[in-house]
Amino acid sequence: MSNIFPTILSGGSGTRLWPLSRKHYPKQFLRLTSSYTMLQETALRLTGFNKPIAVCNESHRFILAEQLHEIGQNPTSIILEPVARNTAPAIALSAFKALEQTRDAILVVLAADHVIEDKDAFQNSVERAAEYAEQGKIVTFGIVPNAPETGFGYIQAEKGESSALKIKRFVEKPNKSKAQEYLDSGDFFWNSGMFVMKASIYLEELKKFNSRMYDSALKAYSNATSDLDFVRVAKQDFELCPDDSIDYAVMEHTQLGVVLPISVGWNDVGSFSSLWEVLPKDENNNVKLGDIQSIDSNNCLVQSENQFVATIGVDDLIVIGTKDSILVANKDRVQDVKQVVEHLKGKNRKEHLLHREVHRPWGKYDSVDTGNRYQVKRITVKPGASLSKQMHHHRAEHWIVVSGTAIVEINDKQTLLSENQSIYIPLGATHRLTNPGKLKLELIEVQSGSYLGEDDIVRFEDNYKRG
């Protein structure tokens, strides 16, 4: 079906999965349930159609592009949102792009961070939904509930003979008794947030019910510029878009909406309790990820990035250890992880923004140690990659090559370094680091100075067009 365009929305921040998920490296880029990241799993679900259209914010653009490239899913387009405006404007941008490819374009709108266990059943469901989309319907997938879940919104459907049922109403996340009532009725489904529809039909309905959003999105897309492999929509125009979901902007008003019930092993992995549900467990119902020893412990999720962790005589606990943070929570309180994130924001701490290991388009760095007027990083540079040509006002740097080969440019003089060799970059010197080899370059960087923040960088040349 050459007119079908998977559309991946990748704007979420995944705060309920802190400390694994952080603002600048959220859950869709993590390997939570398999050897693939959640974004990659999403792209691989629909490989029989066109390459995906992806929508993400600017700070995630290189991560998203690299992860799709790793699995051979180089996208039709990566559209950058200059500001977050929820799903309705993001889908409009995707629709404009798809219509440039074909006037009959059908969008399959997917969140980048959901789990679907039965991929064949889902593919069949998409093909069925596309048939209704060809008839002018806007199809949303309703997950057949198997429990009175309070963490999802619901869709109530009208009775009907067709497999796609007319939508009666959308309802917000219910309490436990109301969720049980919905489950018992048989005509309520979990709201998956996935849609199949003609791009032209969606835009017509959006223009009808929210002309301001349509006009702002159209102008922002019309004034977009190309930046490497990205479509950068006009910020001043997109900022005028109302901040609204497709449910509120279109689905609650349109007469074209239908819900297609499906059972495909879906989970939005919105919390650690739902992550525990989808992962393999031992004989005591424990999920153990990392170097873990559990003694007389039951129904726990314990994950450690770099430390040995032991649990003794505990039940229903979530224990998550990263290089810089540890979370311990009762499984029925995991929705409150957001409070920790808000605390970190209020204290102007960085743990909600970044991991200790930070990914960059040229590679990554790990902040190994920090003290008064010094910082130590382990830097990894991809083969053929180069950092920007830059200088610092407040710090000097000392680089020691651990493995690989480095070309270091200091004030226009180049030096070739190999394993166990080092070099000093004085404060204020213009410098650049390049990996000319076919193997990754690893080095230790020791910074010293009065200010060591990442914003003390003046860039003169940059392959990735960063400011």
Side-chain angles (χ1 to χ4, degrees):
M1 304 179 76
S2 60
N3 63 330
I4 292 182
F5 291 84
T7 300
I8 302 176
L9 305 184
S10 183
S13 58
T15 54
R16 288 178 294 173
L17 288 181
W18 182 90
L20 295 181
S21 177
R22 315 227 178 157
K23 182 177 181 180
H24 294 315
Y25 207 83
K27 68 172 181 174
Q28 59 264 34
F29 303 121
L30 302 177
R31 290 171 171 81
L32 294 179
T33 60
S34 77
S35 60
Y36 294 110
T37 69
M38 301 194 78
L39 169 72
Q40 291 172 332
E41 288 279 8
T42 302
L44 290 171
R45 259 172 230 142
L46 296 176
T47 54
F49 306 114
N50 288 291
K51 293 295 176 65
I53 297 171
V55 184
C56 70
N57 67 51
E58 184 171 331
S59 66
H60 297 156
R61 66 193 188 280
F62 293 112
I63 305 169
L64 183 143
E66 181 178 4
Q67 290 197 357
L68 291 179
H69 177 73
E70 283 178 359
I71 58 170
Q73 288 293 301
N74 298 319
T76 299
S77 183
I78 298 175
I79 302 173
L80 305 183
E81 291 181 293
V83 291
R85 286 295 181 264
N86 217 312
T87 55
I91 295 169
L93 297 176
S94 303
F96 293 131
K97 181 61 184 180
L99 288 173
E100 291 180 352
Q101 313 301 311
T102 172
R103 297 306 301 175
D104 294 324
I106 291 176
L107 302 181
V108 181
V109 179
L110 307 171
D113 53 4
H114 291 178
V115 167
I116 292 178
E117 295 176 355
D118 193 337
K119 295 178 183 177
D120 290 338
F122 181 67
Q123 179 105 5
N124 292 335
S125 298
V126 168
E127 292 173 359
R128 278 193 296 140
E131 295 174 3
Y132 288 101
E134 291 282 9
Q135 301 167 22
K137 300 297 185 183
I138 299 178
V139 184
T140 184
F141 291 115
I143 308 301
V144 177
N146 55 18
E149 178 60 57
T150 60
F152 304 143
Y154 284 71
I155 303 171
Q156 185 179 20
E158 296 183 358
K159 303 294 185 183
E161 299 300 321
S162 172
S163 57
L165 305 172
K166 188 172 178 59
I167 295 171
K168 189 171 184 178
R169 63 178 174 134
F170 291 82
V171 293
E172 297 295 337
K173 298 174 183 177
N175 58 31
K176 196 74 172 181
S177 62
K178 184 63 71 172
Q180 186 64 54
E181 181 182 319
Y182 293 163
L183 181 65
D184 294 339
S185 74
D187 57 359
F188 282 83
F189 305 95
W190 292 337
N191 186 354
S192 71
M194 299 184 290
F195 300 86
V196 180
M197 59 208 167
K198 278 191 171 182
S200 58
I201 293 293
Y202 174 73
L203 292 174
E204 288 172 8
E205 295 298 277
L206 180 64
K207 186 175 184 179
K208 182 190 302 183
F209 299 117
N210 199 321
S211 59
R212 180 185 165 202
M213 181 182 292
Y214 173 86
D215 292 340
S216 298
L218 175 59
K219 191 173 181 181
Y221 187 79
S222 299
N223 292 328
T225 57
S226 295
D227 178 0
L228 298 176
D229 296 326
F230 310 109
V231 175
R232 191 183 295 274
V233 303
K235 182 178 180 180
Q236 66 272 23
D237 299 317
F238 197 68
E239 283 178 329
L240 299 177
C241 273
D243 184 338
D244 224 342
S245 69
I246 180 178
D247 288 354
Y248 287 118
V250 174
M251 297 304 293
E252 291 190 353
H253 309 288
T254 183
Q255 296 300 307
L256 303 178
V258 294
V259 57
L260 182 64
I262 60 173
S263 296
V264 293
W266 174 88
N267 195 308
D268 77 342
V269 195
S271 68
F272 283 114
S273 58
S274 57
L275 181 60
W276 173 83
E277 289 174 3
V278 301
L279 289 174
K281 303 169 185 64
D282 67 10
E283 64 277 7
N284 295 313
N285 267 342
N286 295 309
V287 174
K288 296 183 289 187
L289 304 170
D291 192 5
I292 312 297
Q293 175 67 39
S294 293
I295 300 171
D296 296 330
S297 300
N298 302 279
N299 304 311
C300 295
L301 166 58
V302 186
Q303 177 165 342
S304 177
E305 194 170 290
N306 65 331
Q307 301 174 65
F308 170 71
V309 175
T311 64
I312 302 174
V314 297
D315 298 327
D316 300 311
L317 275 189
I318 302 294
V319 181
I320 306 295
T322 65
K323 290 180 179 178
D324 63 355
S325 301
I326 296 174
L327 170 71
V328 180
N330 194 283
K331 204 194 301 176
D332 63 7
R333 294 289 305 277
V334 291
Q335 299 291 342
D336 296 330
V337 171
K338 282 187 173 183
Q339 295 180 26
V340 179
V341 175
E342 291 304 315
H343 168 80
L344 294 170
K345 288 180 182 178
K347 296 293 184 181
N348 291 319
R349 296 183 57 151
K350 65 179 182 179
E351 287 93 336
H352 72 287
L353 295 172
L354 299 165
H355 294 85
R356 203 184 81 177
E357 185 174 274
V358 177
H359 291 258
R360 291 287 186 255
W362 45 260
K364 62 184 179 180
Y365 68 82
D366 186 356
S367 297
V368 177
D369 191 20
T370 302
N372 184 29
R373 296 180 62 89
Y374 79 89
Q375 183 169 215
V376 181
K377 292 183 176 180
R378 184 169 61 245
I379 295 177
T380 304
V381 185
K382 300 173 188 174
S386 178
L387 281 67
S388 62
K389 188 174 184 178
Q390 58 186 252
M391 62 87 71
H392 309 294
H393 288 296
H394 303 287
R395 71 175 185 250
E397 296 174 341
H398 188 189
W399 293 344
I400 306 100
V401 176
V402 176
S403 64
T405 304
I407 293 177
V408 180
E409 179 183 335
I410 302 176
N411 293 332
D412 297 324
K413 179 184 177 181
Q414 289 191 353
T415 303
L416 182 67
L417 300 180
S418 57
E419 186 173 323
N420 292 325
Q421 293 183 316
S422 64
I423 198 165
Y424 175 71
I425 299 96
L427 184 150
T430 300
H431 59 282
R432 186 170 210 162
L433 174 65
T434 299
N435 178 1
K438 295 185 178 180
L439 302 175
K440 66 183 179 181
L441 164 65
E442 294 191 345
L443 56 86
I444 299 298
E445 175 183 84
V446 180
Q447 302 175 357
S448 60
S450 59
Y451 179 73
L452 305 174
E454 283 299 304
D455 54 349
D456 180 24
I457 297 178
V458 179
R459 289 191 175 97
F460 301 103
E461 297 174 16
D462 184 44
N463 295 341
Y464 309 103
K465 297 186 178 182
R466 294 168 295 173

